[in-house]
Amino acid sequence: MTEGPLLVLCALSPELWALRGGDWTGARGGPPVLARTGMGRRRAGRSAARLLAGEGYGALVVAGFGASVASGVEPGEVIVADAVRDTDGRRFELDSAPALAEALRARGLTAHTGLHHTADRVVRGARRAELRSEGALAVDMEAAAVLAARAELRPGLPAAVLRIVVDTPERELIRPGTLPAGLRAWRALRAAVPALTAWQAAGGPYPAPTPLPSHPQPSTLPQEAS
């Protein structure tokens, strides 16, 4: 990874709030940049393209809430993508999954790795079973569009995708258990932040910082893209 800041993209305000409150003290390359893309492939793709065409970043993370399409995965657990595909048949491979999943587990989170499917709408019922039969483990609505922008603008940029499970085939969003499941997911996303910075740092090497004593140290707090 290069020495730019970590760019972290999410779709929703609650995801941004959770990420903002995490422990970013291990971030390399300057304060991380957090940005909310909005929901859906179109919004996410436009936001990612705008950001990636600007300042240089050291790595890219797509993080937020998502749905499991497999039984046995509980709300609050993490699914790290080893590949992401979309409804147009495009597939984006990611080699970041093993290291990021290990970093998450080292911090007490339950992490799975597998294929993420980026859908055009919320997926429920029988469609989840279909996606599972096609090899998917998680479903979202943004990641593939972000990775498409990366492939076009910054193909060499290290990238990772993770979703904190909010709902499962047994507990879909429309059911009463959504509120406590959402709270568990929010806490898990916040707790995942040190794993993101550990994954970023492990991709070094980075030159040792040599700040002058007469100058204040730069803030490690995340900055938000407008």
Side-chain angles (χ1 to χ4, degrees):
M1 299 186 196
T2 59
E3 172 116 10
L6 183 64
L7 174 62
V8 185
L9 302 182
C10 59
L12 303 172
S13 294
E15 296 167 336
L16 189 65
W17 300 335
L19 290 164
R20 184 194 298 152
D23 180 4
W24 293 99
T25 54
R28 306 297 296 266
V33 176
L34 310 184
R36 184 174 66 85
T37 65
M39 287 184 62
R41 286 202 293 167
R42 182 174 298 179
R43 290 189 183 95
R46 283 200 305 257
S47 296
R50 175 178 57 82
L51 288 161
L52 291 172
E55 306 232 356
Y57 298 100
L60 168 68
V61 171
V62 181
F65 307 136
S68 168
V69 299
S71 300
V73 180
E74 296 295 323
E77 296 181 354
V78 191
I79 302 178
V80 182
D82 56 18
V84 178
R85 72 176 182 212
D86 64 17
T87 56
D88 298 325
R90 294 180 298 180
R91 184 181 174 108
F92 305 92
E93 302 292 336
L94 294 166
D95 60 8
S96 52
L100 181 53
E102 181 180 354
L104 290 161
R105 294 176 189 131
R107 286 151 182 84
L109 294 165
T110 299
H112 311 265
T113 61
L115 175 67
H116 288 211
H117 177 85
T118 296
D120 292 323
R121 59 185 59 86
V122 175
V123 174
R124 296 191 177 98
R127 179 57 180 147
R128 291 197 186 194
E130 292 175 5
L131 289 174
R132 182 57 182 150
S133 70
E134 295 167 2
L137 187 57
V139 62
D140 66 35
M141 296 174 62
E142 296 83 27
V146 173
L147 295 178
R150 164 187 172 255
E152 179 180 351
L153 296 167
R154 296 286 304 279
L157 185 68
V161 174
L162 73 154
R163 294 295 180 188
I164 310 295
V165 175
V166 174
D167 66 319
T168 68
E170 298 84 5
R171 300 183 185 87
E172 292 194 343
L173 279 171
I174 57 174
R175 297 190 178 181
T178 300
L179 184 58
L183 182 58
R184 286 197 295 273
W186 190 91
R187 289 171 174 167
L189 182 56
R190 183 173 182 174
V193 167
L196 300 181
T197 61
W199 167 74
Q200 180 199 18
Y206 295 93
T210 55
L212 296 174
S214 57
H215 292 282
Q217 297 295 315
S219 172
T220 58
L221 294 176
Q223 51 188 319
E224 292 177 24
S226 58

